[in-house]
């Protein structure tokens, strides 16, 4: 490989040997030297804008997320989306480690894509009942059931802006994995299913979500369709954080 010094000396030699073409040689060298480099492409997307707020007694909460918009090669935005929700928590009963909580909530979502005349927006309300059980040693089991407008239930199948009523069921397990030798490591496992009600309800959706998180480490998220669920099978993998 010719070094930069050798290339520079060669250029000087050519300019000295052909003085009548020195201007052209200089222009060519200048053009090559000032060529615009390609803008580096981000490996990871920008982190989403998030809002998470709870009242001191945890009875009222507001949350939302707006992912970074998608850009094309020319630097124009091609799509953008966002959602937000607010709700109330009211613990109706607690017996030992078993608690029943009612949660009326409202949720809105919006999606815009290039080429569409207007953005798709939806707002919906729902009522969710959650049953949680704290087991000895720290594991916690959760079961949720909710009914309301599809947008209010945050359809896991990606039809959060579709109209109509729906029923959502969810089961989850949260536990510490500190016994593996790393303090602060947690596992969260969820199974979420949603079925539209009425004549246009369509097929039920079902998804499995797994998250592993540890202190001072990026969370690992796995997701996919439930085994044997109708529709096309899919698997997603994500690592949180920003580099």
């Amino acid at each position: 490989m010719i070094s930069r010094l050798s290339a520079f000396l060669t250029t000087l030699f050519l300019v000295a040997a052909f003085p009548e073409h020195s201007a052209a040689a200089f222009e060519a060298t200048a053009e090559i030297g000032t060529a615009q480099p390609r803008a580096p492409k981000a490996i990871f997307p920008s982190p989403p804008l998030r809002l998470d707020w709870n009242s001191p007694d945890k009875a009222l909460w507001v949350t939302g997320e707006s992912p970074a918009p998608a850009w094309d090669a020319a630097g124009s935005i091609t799509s953008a989306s966002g959602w937000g929700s607010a709700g109330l928590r009211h613990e109706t009963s607690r017996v030992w480690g078993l608690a029943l909580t009612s949660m009326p909530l409202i949720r809105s979502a919006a999606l815009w894509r290039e080429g569409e005349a207007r953005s798709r927006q939806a707002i919906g309300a729902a009522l969710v009942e959650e049953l949680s059980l704290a087991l000895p040693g720290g594991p916690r089991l959760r079961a949720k059931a909710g009914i309301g407008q599809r947008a209010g239930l945050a359809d896991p199948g990606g039809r959060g802006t579709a109209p109509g009523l729906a029923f959502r069921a969810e089961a989850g397990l949260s536990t510490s994995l500190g016994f593996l030798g790393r303090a602060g490591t947690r596992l969260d496992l969820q199974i979420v299913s949603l079925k539209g009600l009425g004549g246009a309800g369509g097929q039920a959706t079902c998804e499995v979500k797994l998250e592993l998180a540890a202190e001072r480490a990026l969370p690992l998220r796995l997701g996919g369709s439930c085994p044997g669920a109708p529709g096309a099978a899919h698997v997603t993998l994500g690592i949180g954080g920003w580099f």
Side-chain angles (χ1 to χ4, degrees):
M1 180 180 293
I2 301 177
S3 65
R4 293 185 178 181
L5 179 58
S6 300
F8 178 72
L9 293 177
T10 302
T11 302
L12 290 180
F13 172 80
L14 292 175
V15 171
F18 304 97
E20 63 276 17
H21 299 295
S22 59
F26 178 80
E27 290 174 2
T29 303
E31 182 181 352
I32 295 173
T34 58
Q36 293 294 330
R38 291 185 178 180
K41 186 177 181 180
I43 299 176
F44 295 95
S46 300
L49 298 176
R50 289 190 57 86
L51 169 65
D52 287 294
W53 178 83
N54 284 270
S55 61
D57 58 358
K58 307 294 184 181
L60 174 64
W61 54 266
V62 179
T63 185
E65 181 174 301
S66 177
W71 304 77
D72 60 15
S76 300
I77 296 178
T78 58
S79 66
S81 63
W83 63 268
S85 62
L88 297 171
R89 294 187 186 94
H90 176 64
E91 188 175 286
T92 56
S93 65
R94 176 179 288 271
V95 179
W96 299 100
L98 187 64
L100 178 63
T101 305
S102 298
M103 293 182 291
L105 56 90
I106 186 171
R107 180 179 183 271
S108 62
L111 172 64
W112 174 85
R113 286 193 179 126
E114 185 180 20
E116 295 183 354
R118 60 179 62 184
S119 62
R120 285 182 282 171
Q121 302 177 9
I123 186 169
L127 177 62
V128 177
E129 297 289 330
E130 179 184 49
L131 186 66
S132 62
L133 175 63
L135 300 176
R140 180 179 293 273
L141 296 173
R142 302 185 311 276
K144 289 183 181 181
I147 186 170
Q149 294 166 302
R150 191 186 291 271
L153 290 170
D155 182 356
R159 298 189 300 275
T161 58
L165 296 176
F167 175 80
R168 171 169 171 155
E170 176 180 334
L173 168 67
S174 300
T175 185
S176 171
L177 297 180
F179 62 88
L180 295 178
R182 185 162 185 174
T185 304
R186 293 195 59 79
L187 177 145
D188 288 299
L189 177 64
Q190 275 186 311
I191 300 178
V192 183
S193 178
L194 187 140
K195 170 65 175 176
L197 302 178
Q203 289 184 334
T205 60
C206 182
E207 290 199 352
V208 179
K209 301 178 181 180
L210 173 66
E211 178 174 322
L212 294 173
E215 294 180 357
R216 297 186 297 275
L218 299 175
L220 173 65
R221 300 183 179 94
L222 296 172
S225 54
C226 299
H234 67 278
V235 177
T236 60
L237 169 65
I239 300 176
W242 174 243
F243 295 87

